[in-house]
Amino acid sequence: MDFGALLHTISTITPDRPWGIDIPNYFWFTGSSAAAFIISSFAHVFGMKEYKPIAGFSLLLAFVLLVAAPMNLIDDLRQPGRIINFFFYGWENFPTSPMKWGVLLLIAYPLLILVEALVLYRPYFWFSKGVVRSQEQVEKDHHLGVILGAIGIPLALSVHGYTGYILGAVHAIPLFHTPLMPILFLASAMVSGTGLLIILLPIFQKFFTDFKRVDMEMMQRLARLLSWFIVIDLVIRFFWLTFAITFNGEEKYAFKLFFGENFWEVLIVDYVICLFVPMAIGFTNYFTRSFKWVLFGGILSAIGVWIFRWNTVIGGQSIGKTTPFLLEYHPHFSGFDSILSVLSNWSLLIALIALVMVLFPWDKEMANYYVKHEER
């Protein structure tokens, strides 16, 4: 027997957890960032003009999520100074190390978003304001935005997909070890990112734009988009679970134990309440005409994906190798890797969102400006 595989297999004998509450929160942030970037690319790369009014906001949301996300990793290290080790050590394992892929992606991806934002918001900058820009200048900016967006899509997918590789490569934990894990993470990320846009867009439009009202047509469009993303997410989860529970050898009993013990939280809360309900809202015209129902669906879907991250990361580690029952985990209220540290990270995200809303306004006039020039 391969000795390395043996070490991987027995690594969960101890009830101690290498990953706590910071990690599912990090996965949620990076996934939502990838989704926000891809939705912004609907307008810039794929020419879907109906998404122009939210393209800039989606892009900035993707950026601030990526700025706040690594704070979870730094807190998880217990000694923040260790973050420098990510950059100096381990490069000899780069081809087979998803964590080293993440180092490069977490540098390249936010830089690309920042450059694209500078191009997109050029008319709003103080040095451009009041200056009539030629059609040629607008076309150059549009062409550059298309190129940056096209490059950014695989980067966005990779910056969250690599986290799925990290989990999927762990042989010792049955809930992690599947080649579907990167795809599972990406599919659920599109759900959480769209849900987050539905939550934040009304606040942004109501308080940070000139027309001071919620664009219900856009909310309905996002609700329908959310429903289709949920369909894709559910289909992938169906294949994952049915294969793992039925054909995964002896480890299928670990799956049955986990889902049996967490039936209410997984099936009822995560799947029925947080996925099927938002999907039904988005596909039903009666509900999509109501702002409250659409917002409710967005909130449920964002919460549901966070629960899925929790169940995967924390729940996966609860399956011990030498115990006939699940291990328990209760995060500390304060200190490193605690409830308070996660709340602090969310506070940072809210502050960054408020900051970019003030510095980078976006309204329908800006969207119409680009559409008008593109139609010439």
Side-chain angles (χ1 to χ4, degrees):
M1 181 178 180
D2 180 37
F3 184 67
L6 176 63
L7 290 180
H8 277 290
T9 302
I10 67 174
S11 65
T12 55
I13 285 180
T14 171
D16 202 19
R17 270 179 176 73
W19 288 335
I21 193 173
D22 280 327
I23 302 304
N25 199 55
Y26 168 74
F27 289 164
W28 193 95
F29 274 41
T30 56
S32 299
S33 172
F37 183 88
I38 290 171
I39 291 174
S40 76
S41 299
F42 286 173
H44 304 310
V45 180
F46 300 106
M48 301 169 69
K49 295 178 181 179
E50 63 269 26
Y51 289 96
K52 285 279 186 180
I54 64 167
F57 176 69
S58 298
L59 186 68
L60 293 174
L61 180 60
F63 179 73
V64 297
L65 282 163
L66 243 295
V67 171
M71 300 300 109
N72 292 286
L73 297 182
I74 294 174
D75 183 68
D76 181 70
L77 292 174
R78 305 299 197 278
Q79 297 183 25
R82 290 177 177 174
I83 191 67
I84 199 69
N85 295 337
F86 278 108
F87 301 95
F88 289 143
Y89 302 106
W91 290 105
E92 65 277 6
N93 300 317
F94 173 74
T96 58
S97 174
M99 285 193 177
K100 303 316 293 183
W101 306 345
V103 172
L104 296 182
L105 290 168
L106 288 174
I107 295 173
Y109 176 55
L111 287 177
L112 181 135
I113 298 177
L114 184 59
V115 173
E116 186 174 350
L118 294 176
V119 173
L120 185 67
Y121 281 91
R122 193 192 303 271
Y124 272 124
F125 295 148
W126 66 269
F127 54 80
S128 296
K129 207 157 189 177
V131 178
V132 178
R133 305 179 70 237
S134 67
Q135 179 65 19
E136 183 181 0
Q137 290 174 315
V138 174
E139 289 178 354
K140 284 183 178 179
D141 282 353
H142 174 71
H143 183 65
L144 182 57
V146 170
I147 293 174
L148 291 172
I151 296 172
I153 290 173
L155 276 180
L157 295 174
S158 299
V159 85
H160 189 55
Y162 95 91
T163 60
Y165 274 93
I166 291 175
L167 267 63
V170 180
H171 293 255
I173 301 178
L175 208 61
F176 291 3
H177 188 49
T178 171
L180 282 177
M181 191 56 68
I183 303 173
L184 279 166
F185 268 33
L186 288 172
S188 58
M190 298 307 299
V191 175
S192 64
T194 308
L196 185 62
L197 276 173
I198 291 174
I199 296 169
L200 295 178
L201 189 61
I203 301 172
F204 172 69
Q205 291 180 329
K206 189 74 174 177
F207 299 103
F208 293 89
T209 60
D210 295 334
F211 52 102
K212 304 296 181 184
R213 64 179 179 81
V214 177
D215 184 356
M216 274 307 299
E217 184 179 351
M218 181 60 69
M219 293 288 285
Q220 291 170 356
R221 188 175 295 119
L222 288 174
R224 184 62 58 87
L225 184 67
L226 173 63
S227 294
W228 282 113
F229 284 145
I230 291 174
V231 169
I232 296 170
D233 186 24
L234 286 172
V235 168
I236 297 173
R237 292 198 203 189
F238 172 80
F239 287 125
W240 167 50
L241 292 176
T242 53
F243 188 90
I245 293 175
T246 309
F247 303 110
N248 208 19
E250 294 181 0
E251 292 181 342
K252 67 184 180 183
Y253 298 106
F255 275 83
K256 292 178 180 178
L257 173 64
F258 173 78
F259 288 105
E261 292 290 330
N262 297 281
F263 176 83
W264 170 260
E265 181 183 347
V266 174
L267 184 63
I268 305 301
V269 177
D270 187 13
Y271 284 76
V272 176
I273 297 177
C274 293
L275 288 180
F276 281 102
V277 171
M279 182 178 65
I281 291 173
F283 282 144
T284 308
N285 291 331
Y286 173 81
F287 291 119
T288 55
R289 287 195 292 266
S290 169
F291 167 74
K292 292 181 180 179
W293 277 110
V294 172
L295 181 63
F296 181 62
I299 293 171
L300 284 181
S301 61
I303 293 173
V305 175
W306 202 98
I307 293 173
F308 175 64
R309 298 289 188 267
W310 171 273
N311 286 334
T312 305
V313 176
I314 305 301
Q317 295 174 93
S318 70
I319 304 173
K321 293 296 183 182
T322 59
T323 58
F325 48 83
L326 297 179
L327 304 173
E328 294 185 2
Y329 169 71
H330 303 286
H332 299 293
F333 177 75
S334 61
F336 288 109
D337 198 24
S338 64
I339 295 173
L340 191 59
S341 65
V342 169
L343 292 176
S344 299
N345 194 244
W346 275 91
S347 299
L348 173 63
L349 174 65
I350 293 170
L352 290 173
I353 291 173
L355 179 63
V356 298
M357 284 180 176
V358 172
L359 296 179
F360 297 90
W362 183 266
D363 55 27
K364 281 191 172 181
E365 291 182 6
M366 186 65 175
N368 292 335
Y369 171 84
Y370 279 106
V371 171
K372 179 180 68 176
H373 280 274
E374 288 172 13
E375 290 176 346
R376 287 181 181 177

